[in-house]
Structure formats: structure tokens, C-alpha cells
Amino acid sequence: MRTRQYAKGNAMIGRTIGGALMGVEGYCVRIEIQIGFGMANFYTVGLAEGAVRESKVRVRSAFMESDLYFPQTCVTLNLAPADVRKDGSSYDLPIAIAILQANGEFRPAVQDWLDETMIMGELGLTGEIRPIRGVLPLVLAARRAGLKNVIVAPENGAEAALVEGISVYCPQNLRQTYECLHRATPLPQYIAGETHQTGEIYPKDMSEISGQLVARRALEIAASGAHNLLFVGPPGSGKTMLAQRLPTILPRLSFDEALEVTALYSVSGNLGNRSLIETRPFRAPHHSVSDVGLVGGGSISPKPGEISLAHHGVLFLDELPEFKRTVLEVLRQPLEDGSINITRRLQSVRFPSQFMLVASMNACPCGNLGSNLKRCMCRSETIEMYQSRISGPLLDRIDIQLEVAEVSYDDLLRHESAEPSARVRERVEACRALQARRFAGTPIRCNAQMSVREVREYCKLDDAGHEVMRRVVDKLGMSARAHHRILKVARTIADMDEKPRIAKKHLAEAIALRTLDKKRYQCSEPYDVAR
């Protein structure tokens, strides 16, 4: 193996550009290597966590297996900015290239090219370049910084190529990278579309639902305005089946929305072999999920949780009262703001979480309250305690609360096919297009996202409508939030009818779709869900 001598005062410097993640946002990291006089040692500075400090072991082994010279003197690695913690294995490849540069292996023209290139990739002990998570937000950060090129693992090439204006290079291993840069020849470049993977296709369809006309109508209204939805009914009434078919009638993701969803899945490591997620997410965590699992977190590098992975899609909570109370309460702020802020001792990150909440529950512990087929044997105190697991503030944030009855035998025997999802989606997309025109030039995309100001502007009522709402609010003791939610749903129903103003019938239907009120949950006697 070759040996090199470094005279005192003649330290060699190499530099490259890597990337780091802060939540779902990427930023550039300057990687500097100094090879100077002194005993053989490897120092790492710049708030590097364990995976970064271990890079020296992987890099040294990769150099040996690739027949490259690793300095036998004092090596200092600096990661800038030095006051931000760095974690992960994506620094292996840029560190290795910086060492090669400090060794004097590259021509000056190569250094100019490296100054316009973000490098990321994990090195195996034999020198192969392995994929990393979070490539999409890192490449977006490279484009924002004015860089022109990125070097990634071949498996990350399709994901990196989603960003326009960036040249993507995908060498197989460290030796191939060295040979190309040493001889100033082009690296293997990724060809857009050669390994593009599409998102999953939903196998379910609305045509499979027997009966449940009111529930189907509620699903269409919820999809048209992105409203939160709660199904209440006995077991076997089709609550889960209905919820699972909601994504099939939602509008297709735009390219910008698909990039946002893909970035979240890439950061969390759930992207798999897909390069772009093209279908709206449907997340259905088990009721044993923890607070961190639902909202995201982590001590060093927080990762998105289920509510962020459901961004621009559906978060389905089956058997809602079985979730821990603390888990459910953390949903309140994301439901209002469309994002979640996770603060730790070392950093604070923000994850987007603009999702539709769809939940289902039984009306009592045995599940038979309101059933036309079975008798409920639960005591009133037991029912009240069971239903009180869902707090009033959380219920206020659920726009549509629908009681679902069992499907009759006659409905099951009918052979005519119900309306398919494709036809329903056409109406939903037309309604969403109307809302897009209404809110053009604002961050609002649908009726459910309206603030109080927009509600007052676009949800005006006539005298008859005001009288209806006055009676409902006074009788049920409804909160201001619940009042605004009803108006938003009424606005969506009017949009579905292509009416510029909310009529009395639109308001009546919106009120009828909010059948579970806080007072009913707190009443001393169990109420009949089918009444």
C-alpha cells in the first residue's frame, strides 16, 4: 500500500457538500477534511452523533477493500454548521471523497465540479454505496442552495430525479466513483424513468357496499370538503368497510402534493421501492399506538408519526374509545392547524399533518346499543363512562357524526351494483375544483380548512337559516367551534348542488349529519342510537 508523508505546516484540505435533515426539511452541510502532521488518529467535530462518528470505521474499510490509500496521519473531520447536530450514515460517501481530495487525487477542475454537487450515501465495508432515507428533501435543499448535481446510491436515483433542474449521478461503489473523478470522466448518470415505481392501487370500491345510502352520502360530503367523519353503530354495520373506501373517491394527488407525501415517507424510511407516492395515504394505526407513534418524535432526529404519514390522505381510527385518552388528545392541535410541532431539548421540528380524520366506534361496550337485532345489556353508568372516553373538544372537531345501522337482509340480497367509486370521484373532483376557484390565491384548498374569517364571508345565512341555527345551538348547548363546523359542512353541500348561497335544506342536512352531541354523551340515561 502506498504511503505518503505530510510535512509539518503543510496540511492538506479536502471539502465536499453533504446534506442533513431537520424534520422534513433538508439543508446543506459543509464537510471539511484536514490531513496533517501527527500520530495516526481520526477526530470528528461539529456535533456529530454516533452514526456519524462511526463513519471513520466504514470509510477506512471501504478504502482498504477498494485499494485506495487511507491517511496514516492525523485526520480531522469538521461538519459545518458546527452548532447543529448531525445524525445518520449519509455522510460516509462525502467524507470518503473529501479524503481522496485531500490526498491530492483530483484535478482542480474536479474540485470546481464538487463545489456544485451534493453527495450522500452510506458505504458498506466493501465499498458499495447503499441507499439512505430522506433523499427527496435533501435534493430539494440542494436545488434551493443553487447546486447543480447530486451523487446518490443507485436505489435512490429515481427518488432524486423527481426534482427538476438537478443532474443525478449513481455510481455503484467507491472505487467506481474514484476512477471517474480521478480521470475527470463522467459518473454514471441516472436516466429519468428507468426504474420509476407507481404508488399502490386501492383494490376496494364503493360498488361493494350494500345499502347504507345515508352513510355513502356522508362519505361523499366528507370527501368533497375534506371534513372529519365519525361512524357510530353496532358491530357488523359496515363502519370499517365504509372508511376503507373513502380514499377511492378522494381527488387524485397533484404533483406538488405527491412530492410532499413522498418526502414524509422518505424521511420516515417507509418509501420502500417506490420513487413517488401517487395515491392518497390511508393510515390505520392499532389502538395500542403510543403518543410518539401517532404524532412522531425521537430524541435526536424526530421522525414523522402516523398523523404526518396520513398527510393529504386519511387517518382511520377504528374503535375510537379503545385508544388511550392521552393519544386522542394530541390530535386536537393538528386537526386545527394542519401541522404538528415537536420540541425536544436539542431541536424543534415541524411536520405537516393535513389529514382527514375518520373514526368508528360502538355506542356501548357490548356494541348492541341502538341495534335492531340484539339487546344492549350495559348499565347506563357503564355506557356513560365508555362514551366519555371521547372528550367534548375532540368531538367538536369532527364535522360529521353519523349513526350507522345494520344492513338488512334484503339489501344483502340485491344484486344490482351500487354506484362505483370512479363516478363518485368525478363529482367530488368537480366540487373541489369549485372550492379551488373560490380560494384561489390563498393557502386554503377546501371548505374544511376555512378559518372564522372565511366562514363569515362564504357561509352567510338568510333569516330562516339563522333561526334554524339559533334553535339548534340553544337546544343542544353547542360550542362556537361546532357551530362553525356545521356551517362548513353546509357550504360543502351547497357546493355539491352548485348553489352560491346556503339554503335551509343544506343547513338541515348538515345538522342531521351531526347526531352525536356532547349533551347526549353526558346524559344520565342511554339514548337510542337508531332513534
Side-chain angles (χ1 to χ4, degrees):
M1 181 176 292
R2 294 177 296 170
T3 61
R4 300 190 179 186
Q5 299 294 328
Y6 296 93
K8 184 176 180 180
N10 293 328
M12 303 292 289
I13 298 292
R15 65 180 186 274
T16 53
I17 302 174
L21 292 169
M22 183 172 291
V24 75
E25 296 293 330
Y27 63 94
C28 294
V29 174
R30 300 285 174 175
I31 297 169
E32 300 170 336
I33 288 287
Q34 182 192 68
I35 302 176
F37 180 79
M39 297 183 60
N41 211 332
F42 198 109
Y43 299 99
T44 301
V45 295
L47 290 183
E49 296 297 330
V52 183
R53 293 194 299 269
E54 293 170 353
S55 292
K56 61 183 180 183
V57 180
R58 295 188 293 270
V59 171
R60 180 183 286 110
S61 176
F63 267 65
M64 294 176 61
E65 294 296 324
S66 302
D67 193 26
L68 299 172
Y69 171 74
F70 191 87
Q72 303 301 312
T73 57
C74 180
V75 179
T76 303
L77 165 64
N78 179 47
L79 304 172
D83 59 344
V84 179
R85 291 188 177 271
K86 293 88 179 176
D87 190 31
S89 58
S90 64
Y91 301 98
D92 292 0
L93 184 57
I95 289 173
I97 295 177
I99 292 175
L100 290 171
Q101 180 194 0
N103 281 343
E105 300 285 0
F106 305 145
R107 303 173 187 175
V110 173
Q111 179 57 58
D112 295 338
W113 186 84
L114 290 175
D115 288 338
E116 298 177 340
T117 304
M118 178 179 283
I119 307 170
M120 45 194 144
E122 177 183 330
L123 286 178
L125 296 183
T126 57
E128 74 272 19
I129 301 175
R130 296 173 176 171
I132 61 170
R133 63 180 179 89
V135 166
L136 180 57
L138 291 176
V139 179
L140 289 171
R143 186 176 65 177
R144 288 195 302 269
L147 303 183
K148 299 179 181 179
N149 317 290
V150 294
I151 300 177
V152 297
E155 295 85 347
N156 291 137
E159 182 183 350
L162 293 173
V163 182
E164 296 181 353
I166 294 287
S167 299
V168 181
Y169 299 92
C170 303
Q172 297 287 336
N173 49 56
L174 180 60
R175 183 69 196 187
Q176 183 184 29
T177 307
Y178 163 77
E179 293 289 349
C180 292
L181 294 178
H182 179 70
R183 298 173 182 174
T185 56
L187 286 164
Q189 190 168 4
Y190 174 80
I191 301 175
E194 64 181 7
T195 59
H196 178 68
Q197 299 287 336
T198 59
E200 60 182 317
I201 303 300
Y202 295 113
K204 301 175 175 62
D205 195 90
M206 291 282 286
S207 61
E208 302 169 349
I209 300 175
S210 300
Q212 299 294 9
L213 297 181
V214 176
R216 289 173 60 96
R217 170 71 173 175
L219 276 181
E220 183 175 347
I221 294 172
S224 297
H227 299 289
N228 302 322
L229 176 64
L230 171 64
F231 288 127
V232 181
S237 57
K239 304 185 297 294
T240 302
M241 185 178 186
L242 287 162
Q244 290 175 340
R245 280 146 185 80
L246 178 57
T248 67
I249 63 174
L250 290 174
R252 296 172 178 84
L253 284 172
S254 66
F255 184 71
D256 290 340
E257 289 175 334
L259 284 182
E260 293 179 27
V261 176
T262 303
L264 284 164
Y265 275 70
S266 178
V267 169
S268 65
N270 292 325
L271 193 57
N273 64 346
R274 297 170 293 181
S275 61
L276 180 67
I277 295 180
E278 299 173 315
T279 53
R280 293 190 180 269
F282 181 85
R283 305 294 298 186
H286 190 259
H287 60 76
S288 61
V289 66
S290 65
D291 300 21
V292 174
L294 191 66
V295 304
S299 59
I300 299 173
S301 298
K303 294 183 180 180
E306 291 291 334
I307 63 173
S308 295
L309 296 178
H311 185 54
H312 292 317
V314 177
L315 177 68
F316 176 49
L317 303 183
D318 199 8
E319 302 298 338
L320 190 63
E322 301 300 328
F323 286 79
K324 292 187 295 184
R325 181 70 174 260
T326 56
V327 171
L328 293 180
E329 292 307 302
V330 300
L331 290 173
R332 289 160 58 176
Q333 183 255 337
L335 284 174
E336 289 289 337
D337 301 339
S339 62
I340 179 72
N341 295 308
I342 300 176
T343 302
R344 296 293 182 263
R345 182 176 62 88
L346 302 177
Q347 61 179 316
S348 178
V349 299
R350 174 189 171 276
F351 291 117
S353 55
Q354 206 165 75
F355 59 91
M356 287 180 60
L357 174 63
V358 179
S360 67
M361 61 176 287
N362 300 327
C364 68
C366 75
N368 297 327
L369 180 62
S371 173
N372 297 322
L373 305 177
K374 298 180 182 179
R375 181 182 178 185
C376 174
M377 305 300 294
C378 301
R379 300 175 57 185
S380 59
E381 296 84 358
T382 305
I383 296 174
E384 182 179 352
M385 183 177 297
Y386 180 77
Q387 295 176 345
S388 66
R389 296 180 185 178
I390 315 301
S391 68
L394 181 59
L395 280 175
D396 276 350
R397 289 168 169 82
I398 300 179
D399 307 347
I400 300 174
Q401 305 164 7
L402 185 67
E403 300 159 352
V404 182
E406 299 104 333
V407 179
S408 66
Y409 186 68
D410 291 337
D411 286 334
L412 292 176
L413 285 179
R414 289 174 183 157
H415 297 291
E416 62 269 18
S417 177
E419 193 174 28
S421 295
R423 195 179 305 167
V424 180
R425 181 193 285 143
E426 290 178 359
R427 295 196 298 268
V428 170
E429 290 179 338
C431 188
R432 288 285 189 102
L434 188 155
Q435 297 168 44
R437 292 191 297 270
R438 174 187 299 136
F439 303 121
T442 71
I444 299 175
R445 299 180 181 178
C446 49
N447 290 334
Q449 299 172 6
M450 286 190 292
S451 65
V452 176
R453 178 184 301 176
E454 284 78 24
V455 169
R456 291 173 178 172
E457 181 177 356
Y458 299 112
C459 302
K460 296 178 180 178
L461 303 178
D462 55 18
D463 292 340
H466 282 299
E467 184 60 30
V468 171
M469 286 304 301
R470 181 179 292 108
R471 291 200 303 268
V472 170
V473 171
D474 292 342
K475 182 178 180 179
L476 300 181
M478 191 173 294
S479 68
R481 180 183 290 111
H483 166 260
H484 290 147
R485 298 273 176 175
I486 288 178
L487 293 180
K488 293 177 184 179
V489 175
R491 178 67 269 170
T492 297
I493 298 173
D495 290 341
M496 294 170 67
D497 287 345
E498 298 182 353
K499 301 297 183 182
R501 295 186 63 88
I502 297 175
K504 186 177 179 179
K505 65 175 183 178
H506 303 142
L507 195 59
E509 184 175 7
I511 295 171
L513 290 174
R514 194 180 178 90
T515 56
L516 306 179
D517 185 73
K518 183 179 179 181
K519 281 189 172 182
R520 285 185 170 180
Y521 276 105
Q522 293 180 343
C523 64
S524 58
E525 297 181 359
Y527 65 94
D528 188 354
V529 176
R531 183 172 58 194

